[in-house]
Amino acid sequence: METAPTYTGAEGVPYASASTAQHFGGNNIKGLLLLQDTQLIETLAHFSRERIPERVVHAAGVGAWGEFEVTHDISELTDAKFLNGVGKKSKVLLRVSTVGPERGGADTIRDVRGWGMKIFTEEGNQDFVFNSIPVFFVRDPIKFPSLNRSHKRHPATNQGDPTMFWDFHNNNQEGIHAIMALFSDRGTPKTVRHLNAYSGHTYKITKGDGTFHYIKAHIKTNQGVQSLTNDEATELAGEAPGIHGADLYESIAKGDFPSWTVYFQVMTPSQAENYRWNIFDMTKIWPHSDFPLIPVAKLTLNKNPGNYFAEIEQAAFSPSNMVPGIAPSADPMLQARMFAYNDAARYRLGVNYQHLPCNRAVSRVYCPFQRDGFMTFTDNYGGDPSYVGSDLKPIKYVGKNGAHGYKVGGHEEWIGSVVGFKSEVVDDDFVQARGFWDVLGKQEGQQEHFVYNVACHLKGAIPQVQEKALGMFSNVYPVIAEKIKIMITTENLEKAPLN
Ligand code: NDP
């Protein structure tokens, strides 16, 4: 039997009891409390400080540990060591989250799911911060805070607000493709085990010889995609708000390890030159018929966190964490997220968040020019020079290969162009949304579910905003707007919560 641990205070001093405050002159609760009762003061003071700032988006999440195993050789495309060698395994930390709700928000609400994945490689951490839908609502990062506020709480009523939600999207219609995906049944996944994740962004994979390819990543569930209907999701949000977390935890605990297949779509720079779609536009996919999915790896979740706060709440993911062989593209959303995510972690966890056990690289870290700051709990590089260019302790530099340009031929006008241009909505923004409606049409009931899902939400908006939203769906196909309009006027249509 395990020996019972001896209770101590946080400084290691043993106390005879953890459940009695010190009283003056009496037993039980007769006497006054004493300021000298450090244990009581520490207990209360620490309790008031238990919470850290929650993530402003993606606050509610579930997570687990696992492994990333290479199944197909793509070494001719990238030098990334974690992708080289069939059978190679790397440790992974995955966190899947809703976007809008605060911590504790219901798991089943209609929302995009975030997919934060840290792969601990021999060359440092490779983070992939993906989404459960393949496209995004905006392509200009300056709109990101506005988008998220419109999906959250109204500043006056402090409630989710369909008028505000649709007002934003009516006036930023480049997001129509993402709206279509959100209001399909995939917007309410059955569990975390039954959803796919997509990079959305275009990345580059690179070789030391200066060659590179563009990729989009797809992580497809081996459990099969399964979704809830709008009504099931609404009911479960009340009855079992933590159902996704419980499902993942219990599956792993009983050895039923969920897995996913990781694929890349791969495009050469010359293919990108004249491609039909701008590959830096996060509101567009690359059709499978143009760029088929190439299998790369298998992801398996096989270990629950021992402590949620330490390992999942304190986990910090950033698209800027890229190993040699993976590189950013000129996608403006990716470029902006590469700043914003680290910045959020600095605010939420402090400047040394990379030292926390859940975030710490398994490869050797030697970064003596970034030191000190709150909560330094490494050796802080001892007496090593804290400035660059010292002869006293030579440092070897191997570095990432950075010699890959940002040119994309026919779409060069995007680079360096003004913010307003990227936000301009053109008919091309509706073409893939039409394709998505056609995809839904091939599966029984999916178009009807889409219409119902939108109607349930749009019904809550004021008439003027409803009209404009119907106009937006008309731009996809007039029949969609007609069907939604009829459905909205159906008596007893449930109003479904979003976020
Ligand atoms: P395909 O005709 O080759 O395939 C359509 C894809 O749509 C499927 O592969 C599947 O993605 C997804 N899908 C299928 N059924 C549903 C559903 N009921 N709800 C939501 N998504 C579904 O697609 P194309 O590549 O020619 O693109 C057509 C449209 O499909 C796009 O406009 C886009 O909206 C959507 N789509 C395309 C993706 C891509 O990267 N090409 C990815 C996802 C959706 P999956 O196989 O990933 O499960």
Side-chain angles (χ1 to χ4, degrees):
M1 211 174 89
E2 222 178 289
T3 335
T6 301
Y7 172 74
T8 71
E11 304 274 353
V13 177
Y15 283 91
S17 167
S19 48
T20 326
Q22 291 179 17
H23 302 271
F24 178 72
N27 297 322
N28 297 328
I29 52 165
K30 281 189 228 147
L32 293 170
L33 293 176
L34 299 180
L35 184 59
Q36 71 167 28
D37 188 353
T38 307
Q39 185 186 212
L40 171 65
I41 291 167
E42 281 288 314
T43 301
L44 296 180
H46 196 278
F47 183 61
S48 352
R49 290 163 178 78
E50 267 180 19
R51 294 289 171 267
I52 58 174
E54 66 174 34
R55 292 161 164 90
V56 68
V57 283
H58 297 280
V62 306
W65 298 89
E67 64 186 24
F68 180 97
E69 180 179 359
V70 178
T71 52
H72 293 75
D73 181 37
I74 56 162
S75 52
E76 78 281 6
L77 298 174
T78 173
D79 292 333
K81 290 192 177 153
F82 80 101
L83 289 172
N84 275 300
V86 171
K88 186 167 209 172
K89 291 183 181 174
S90 305
K91 186 172 84 162
V92 163
L93 177 59
L94 178 72
R95 181 177 184 275
V96 182
S97 52
T98 46
V99 185
E102 298 84 3
R103 253 192 96 179
D107 286 346
T108 58
I109 50 105
R110 182 172 306 285
D111 202 353
V112 173
R113 267 59 182 178
W115 178 276
M117 180 163 86
K118 193 179 288 295
I119 308 175
F120 296 86
T121 89
E122 64 203 272
E123 299 175 292
N125 292 344
Q126 172 62 51
D127 287 4
F128 285 124
V129 194
F130 293 175
N131 276 329
S132 59
I133 62 173
V135 284
F136 201 58
F137 301 97
V138 293
R139 54 188 166 221
D140 189 317
I142 203 162
K143 293 186 179 183
F144 187 79
S146 295
L147 159 73
N148 283 292
R149 287 196 207 102
S150 78
H151 286 211
K152 284 169 152 299
R153 293 174 185 272
H154 186 277
T157 65
N158 199 35
Q159 303 299 313
D161 188 310
T163 294
M164 181 172 77
F165 176 98
W166 291 102
D167 189 32
F168 176 82
H169 289 292
N170 287 345
N171 292 296
N172 296 278
Q173 296 196 11
E174 70 273 28
I176 183 64
H177 195 184
I179 283 284
M180 300 284 289
L182 177 63
F183 281 90
S184 78
D185 279 352
R186 288 201 189 181
T188 48
K190 183 172 179 196
T191 77
V192 160
R193 295 179 298 124
H194 294 97
L195 56 79
N196 293 345
Y198 305 89
S199 65
H201 299 297
T202 296
Y203 282 83
K204 292 197 291 194
I205 53 174
T206 65
K207 294 286 287 179
D209 63 8
T211 58
F212 70 89
H213 288 76
Y214 292 109
I215 61 154
K216 278 190 191 277
H218 300 239
I219 302 185
K220 303 229 281 186
T221 172
N222 294 336
Q223 290 68 239
V225 173
Q226 289 187 32
S227 307
L228 300 167
T229 64
N230 198 67
D231 294 359
E232 287 168 343
T234 306
E235 268 171 43
L236 283 170
E239 283 172 9
I243 194 168
H244 285 182
D247 171 83
L248 183 66
Y249 194 93
E250 284 159 21
S251 299
I252 294 174
K254 66 177 186 228
D256 179 10
F257 300 145
S259 69
W260 286 260
T261 303
V262 181
Y263 300 90
F264 287 170
Q265 286 180 295
V266 180
M267 185 188 287
T268 64
S270 60
Q271 284 174 313
E273 300 273 326
N274 300 307
Y275 191 45
R276 162 83 174 83
W277 302 105
N278 190 312
I279 64 164
F280 301 145
D281 179 350
M282 210 191 168
T283 67
K284 305 293 184 302
I285 50 96
W286 302 349
H288 294 121
S289 49
D290 291 350
F291 295 95
L293 303 188
I294 295 169
V296 174
K298 182 181 179 190
L299 168 73
T300 308
L301 297 183
N302 54 20
K303 186 169 169 269
N304 278 319
N307 181 276
Y308 181 85
F309 180 85
E311 296 164 43
I312 306 300
E313 186 64 12
Q314 292 197 113
F317 305 91
S318 171
S320 60
N321 295 337
M322 295 183 200
V323 299
I326 311 268
S329 74
D331 174 347
M333 288 295 296
L334 176 59
Q335 295 279 330
R337 290 176 79 209
M338 288 175 67
F339 157 73
Y341 281 61
N342 306 55
D343 196 47
R346 282 188 284 269
Y347 169 68
R348 199 169 62 84
L349 301 164
V351 72
N352 284 311
Y353 68 93
Q354 294 103 334
H355 298 174
L356 291 165
C358 59
N359 298 324
R360 182 127 184 104
V362 294
S363 58
R364 177 147 192 257
V365 176
Y366 187 74
C367 184
F369 314 122
Q370 188 173 311
R371 58 206 297 166
D372 302 1
F374 282 115
M375 308 301 282
T376 297
F377 50 90
T378 63
D379 68 2
N380 203 23
Y381 304 102
D384 290 1
S386 54
Y387 46 88
V388 296
S390 167
D391 287 330
L392 305 179
K393 177 157 180 171
I395 300 175
K396 194 166 88 186
Y397 292 91
V398 290
K400 293 208 227 181
N401 37 31
H404 301 95
Y406 281 96
K407 174 170 165 295
V408 186
H411 295 294
E412 258 170 1
E413 77 278 9
W414 272 61
I415 315 296
S417 64
V418 294
V419 167
F421 171 75
K422 292 184 198 104
S423 300
E424 201 172 275
V425 178
V426 292
D427 184 61
D428 246 8
D429 292 317
F430 294 87
V431 172
Q432 293 194 351
R434 279 171 210 140
F436 183 71
W437 176 253
D438 298 338
V439 167
L440 294 182
K442 289 182 194 138
Q443 290 160 48
E444 206 187 328
Q446 286 301 302
Q447 286 185 342
E448 289 73 18
H449 283 205
F450 174 85
V451 167
Y452 178 74
N453 298 345
V454 174
C456 285
H457 195 262
L458 188 55
K459 191 175 176 139
I462 60 173
Q464 167 200 345
V465 168
Q466 276 184 9
E467 272 309 309
K468 195 157 177 182
L470 292 173
M472 174 169 67
F473 288 113
S474 262
N475 291 337
V476 183
Y477 283 126
V479 68
I480 304 179
E482 285 157 25
K483 284 173 185 282
I484 295 171
K485 190 167 185 173
I486 293 168
M487 183 64 79
I488 284 179
T489 53
T490 304
E491 269 183 53
N492 301 326
L493 183 71
E494 292 286 332
K495 234 175 79 182
L498 187 131
N499 294 340

